[in-house]
Amino acid sequence: MGQPREKPRIDSLIVGDRCTGLRPKWAYSHRILVSRIFVAGMIGVWVVSSPAWHDLSRALAHAVAALGIALATVGAFGRLWCSSYIAGNKSNRLVTTGPYSLCRNPLYFFTFVGGAGVTLTTETGTLPALFIAAFWLYYPGVIRAEEQSLQLLHGDAFEDYRGRVPGFWPAFSAYQEPERYEISPVLFRRSLCEVGWFIAAAVAVHFVDDLRTAAVPFTAWMNLY
């Protein structure tokens, strides 16, 4: 007997969309590179700036940073939760339980939450606003591309899933959880290593900001509100 035929990779099924200026396939294929370039730019702005909120209200600045660390933690553990369901299953079957019963794109939702948290630890409103704007300009194309491929892979099953479950914002009333679930330990371990950067970045940014404003003489090129 021949070997069972494997389903194609999701990225091999993504097609372009003539109705948008940014082709979904390009957005999906380059999402990691674009994200890294954007993060590098954000770090550059943060390095040469100083949070103006420190001068207005240290209590407010620290409250915003604490909120940022909390959101970064939620984002990290949320992504890990998602990875526990899709590790080894992303192309083999349609995952509709656990976080994927709350919304169709929980991995991107928790990325949004975690990214917003990390930028809030800069104790500014400018960098979180830039992150939110960039996310909503770029990632809808990524999500469209991935959902195109899922529709091609799973057909009517995905159409039924799309009709029942919201796309991005979770609906907690629809939560479903299986008693048992099979995952790939190797892929899950890799995901475990990847999500830690949210918490590490949030704590590091807050620590460096406090160090710059309290202990180390630092002349900023600009103040950010």
Side-chain angles (χ1 to χ4, degrees), residues 151-182:
Q151 199 281 327
L152 290 172
L153 274 172
H154 303 292
D156 292 341
F158 180 74
E159 288 301 320
D160 176 70
Y161 174 58
R162 181 157 54 184
R164 292 184 292 105
V165 179
F168 188 80
W169 301 107
F172 293 95
S173 60
Y175 182 68
Q176 299 177 9
E177 188 174 59
E179 291 186 6
R180 295 182 179 182
Y181 203 80
E182 182 178 340

Side-chain angles (χ1 to χ4, degrees), residues 48-72:
V48 300
S49 64
S50 177
W53 290 0
H54 262 289
D55 298 329
L56 299 176
S57 172
R58 285 187 175 272
L60 174 61
H62 284 294
V64 169
L67 175 61
I69 292 174
L71 290 178

